[in-house]
Amino acid sequence: MPETLPEVLISEEQIKAKVDELARRISADYREVDDLILVGVLKGSFIFLADLARRLTIPRSVDFMALSTYGDSTTTDGAVRMILDLRRNISGKHVLVVEDIVDTGHTLAYLVRALAARQPASLKTCALVQKPDRREVYAQIDYLGFEIPDVWVVGCGLDWAEKFRTLPYIGVVHPEG
Ligand code: 5GP
């Protein structure tokens, strides 16, 4: 574990501006909806979701899921399982999945499949960052913050072995260095 802080990839100011922009777009797109359910994926999405939820100007509520991927901490082999389900029934409701990061796409693809089966009125997705070069499966991101290269990022909810989640910026760590 390095003693120094991770180098900045996306600054706190850039993140704030992007969250404002996403919140404006989402608020406009859902202006007719009386209860948008934001589904956060634990743990990584909790900070982005809190920032986004507070900036929306439409009626919204928040629920969480937790998923687990088999394999080691820095790779995903595509096997995803649910370890915490939503408390609410989303049938007939408008749902926006809020993810911290889309890497291979397996997690988001799994989530969309699992939630679509519950027949929500609509289902869209939002992610703070994605790594397009790492994509293995298609998963649509309707509202995207940033595209980043294939590096391990931390901050804004993202961790490295449970460290750095509360960094206010997105930084890069080098697991080998
Ligand atoms: P997926 O490969 O299924 O798209 O993403 C699986 C999960 O891997 C993400 O939800 C996230 O928890 C984790 N992940 C992927 N890339 C990174 C990264 O650069 N930093 C951190 N902290 N987590 C990542």
Side-chain angles (χ1 to χ4, degrees):
M1 181 63 60
E3 297 300 320
T4 53
L5 284 175
E7 69 187 84
V8 178
L9 183 66
I10 306 171
S11 71
E12 188 174 358
E13 291 69 31
Q14 285 175 289
I15 294 167
K16 277 189 178 144
K18 187 62 78 176
V19 173
D20 281 346
E21 177 197 319
L22 291 172
R24 273 197 303 276
R25 280 178 52 202
I26 294 166
S27 298
D29 291 352
Y30 289 92
R31 63 189 173 280
E32 310 288 345
V33 169
D34 61 8
D35 180 19
L36 175 64
I37 304 179
L38 304 170
V39 171
V41 186
L42 293 170
K43 300 179 193 174
S45 74
F46 81 110
I47 288 181
F48 175 46
L49 185 138
D51 287 346
L52 187 68
R54 285 177 295 176
R55 285 172 174 79
L56 293 176
T57 55
I58 49 167
R60 68 278 189 190
S61 53
V62 172
D63 206 342
F64 286 100
M65 296 177 97
L67 304 176
S68 177
T69 47
Y70 297 97
D72 68 49
S73 60
T74 56
T75 60
T76 318
D77 65 3
V80 181
R81 82 196 151 107
M82 192 183 303
I83 53 177
L84 175 74
D85 202 351
L86 299 176
R87 299 183 78 134
R88 287 184 67 183
N89 179 356
I90 58 165
S91 171
K93 302 288 184 185
H94 294 273
V95 174
L96 179 64
V97 174
V98 180
E99 264 279 35
D100 48 355
I101 188 164
V102 180
D103 183 27
T104 63
H106 286 289
T107 305
L108 189 58
Y110 168 89
L111 269 169
V112 166
R113 266 198 317 277
L115 296 177
R118 302 177 189 186
Q119 301 183 310
S122 72
L123 178 60
K124 285 192 183 182
T125 59
C126 176
L128 181 58
V129 289
Q130 78 148 334
K131 296 180 194 172
D133 299 344
R134 295 256 312 156
R135 192 56 71 86
E136 290 174 8
V137 293
Y138 176 74
Q140 179 161 321
I141 306 174
D142 297 292
Y143 303 97
L144 174 65
F146 303 95
E147 293 200 335
I148 60 168
D150 179 11
V151 290
W152 192 261
V153 287
V154 294
C156 281
L158 290 157
D159 74 312
W160 182 38
E162 292 303 323
K163 298 278 188 294
F164 304 127
R165 277 196 203 279
T166 56
L167 273 186
Y169 62 90
I170 290 183
V172 181
V173 292
H174 303 283
E176 304 310 320

